[in-house]
Amino acid sequence: KLRSPDGRRFTLFKGGADSTRQVSLLQQIVDAAQQVSPANHAAELCENVPCVICFDEFAQSAGLACSDTECRHFVCAGCLDKYVFAQCEQGASVITADGALPCPGHTAEGKRCQAAYGSQDIAKHATAEAFQAYWAHRSRMAEARIAAEMEDALKAKAETEARRSEAERQRLQIVELLTLKCPRCGQAFQDFENCFALRCPRSNCNAAFCGWCLADCGMDAHQHISHHCQVARTLNPRSPLWGTPAQFEAAHRGRRQQQLQQHLSRLDGSLRVEVLEKILPHLEHWG
């Protein structure tokens, strides 16, 4: 027979070789149940504990204890209302990022308690006026958080668009840089025949320039090509004024590679990758 929490006795089983040990185990279960019985819980709520704000003692039922199982910092109902109003004023220093009210207690080491009161705790233990102030405070925090997230999203979008615009601007600069053109007026050309001493077809320009290195040679490019152009002397030293289409492509492939490397070296890594992706079709066309 066992004794129930209300004092009554009842028979659970009879006999058995191991009955003594089973009775002992079951009695331990009953004892544990008695410790968490409603009567014991009610008695615990009637015990006086000090308020961490005013330091007066109150029954635990007359206030709110934090969720930290070790500290269980207690705040009386009167101090709780004042604490809620103080923490929920606009501009007040609130520790938690989402606006939940932190426990005002401190640990034995003097550090701020990390527990926070949930909305249900405030609703159960604070007055209607205090809870209204708390809810308005949480609503402001939520609106501010949404506004901050929206601002971050718009900023990220603007940065992405700016980056795209910058990548496109860099692409256009590279295309302009690598296009074959008159060094004086910018008139583009694709290729030519015969002599490498070229002349711009624009009547208002008529510049003479080198077909090997695109140097502006004033009114005549022959002297430059024959004696000074390093590209001509490297690719066709015997007859620098003349060359094959393959030699012409080789000369400008090397020039483009050098100019492209110099331009890309001035860009940061991520922008450089974006620009390269944009100019790949041009690079394939130029060989």
Side-chain angles (χ1 to χ4, degrees):
K1 294 184 178 181
L2 298 175
R3 186 181 298 277
S4 67
D6 60 2
R8 291 179 298 171
R9 291 181 177 272
F10 61 94
T11 301
L12 187 64
F13 59 87
K14 295 181 178 179
D18 203 21
S19 61
T20 302
R21 188 174 67 86
Q22 293 183 47
V23 169
S24 176
L25 290 174
L26 288 172
Q27 187 62 58
Q28 292 178 23
I29 295 173
V30 173
D31 292 341
Q34 288 178 330
Q35 293 179 6
V36 295
S37 66
N40 284 329
H41 180 62
E44 180 182 336
L45 290 178
C46 293
E47 293 180 1
N48 287 347
V49 290
C51 171
V52 297
I53 295 179
C54 67
F55 304 111
D56 290 338
E57 291 193 351
F58 298 85
Q60 291 191 45
S61 59
L64 172 63
C66 75
S67 58
D68 190 312
T69 55
E70 293 185 3
C71 300
R72 298 294 292 171
H73 297 115
F74 175 81
V75 178
C76 70
C79 289
L80 179 63
D81 271 17
K82 295 176 183 177
Y83 179 68
V84 170
F85 281 120
Q87 288 293 324
C88 293
E89 290 181 356
Q90 292 194 25
S93 176
V94 180
I95 295 176
T96 54
D98 63 351
L101 298 187
C103 170
H106 291 76
T107 65
E109 295 78 18
K111 297 180 180 179
R112 187 71 183 254
C113 178
Q114 297 301 306
Y117 300 131
S119 297
Q120 292 185 6
D121 294 329
I122 304 299
K124 289 178 181 178
H125 297 278
T127 61
E129 293 79 5
F131 180 75
Q132 185 176 3
Y134 163 79
W135 198 248
H137 158 73
R138 291 298 298 267
S139 299
R140 289 195 304 270
M141 294 292 292
E143 291 172 0
R145 186 169 61 255
I146 293 172
E149 291 175 357
M150 180 63 71
E151 183 178 353
D152 291 342
L154 292 175
K155 183 178 179 181
K157 180 178 177 58
E159 290 176 350
T160 300
E161 292 298 329
R163 198 161 198 77
R164 288 176 181 170
S165 299
E166 177 62 17
E168 178 62 18
R169 189 177 73 84
Q170 293 294 335
R171 183 192 71 83
L172 293 175
Q173 285 186 5
I174 290 173
V175 170
E176 177 68 17
L177 181 67
L178 303 185
T179 298
L180 294 173
K181 56 184 177 295
C182 170
R184 189 179 302 177
C185 71
Q187 172 65 46
F189 69 94
Q190 186 172 356
D191 53 23
F192 61 91
E193 295 179 356
N194 302 320
C195 182
F196 271 61
L198 307 181
R199 187 171 295 278
C200 180
R202 281 185 175 177
S203 58
N204 60 347
C205 178
N206 205 31
F209 60 95
C210 175
W212 293 104
C213 67
L214 302 182
D216 189 338
C217 302
M219 298 304 296
D220 185 13
H222 291 83
Q223 183 73 12
H224 166 81
I225 296 173
S226 298
H227 303 286
H228 305 291
C229 180
Q230 294 298 322
V231 180
R233 297 177 68 177
T234 300
L235 295 178
N236 197 14
R238 292 185 178 182
S239 183
L241 288 171
W242 307 90
T244 65
Q247 288 174 327
F248 173 78
E249 291 297 332
H252 292 288
R253 186 182 303 112
R255 179 185 63 84
R256 285 175 174 138
Q257 289 177 350
Q258 183 179 12
Q259 290 179 322
L260 180 61
Q261 289 173 356
Q262 290 176 351
H263 188 91
L264 292 176
S265 66
R266 296 193 292 267
L267 307 180
D268 65 68
S270 57
L271 179 58
R272 186 184 306 121
V273 172
E274 292 182 40
V275 173
L276 276 172
E277 291 177 353
K278 286 181 172 291
I279 64 172
L280 274 178
H282 301 286
L283 298 180
E284 292 171 357
H285 171 73
W286 287 324

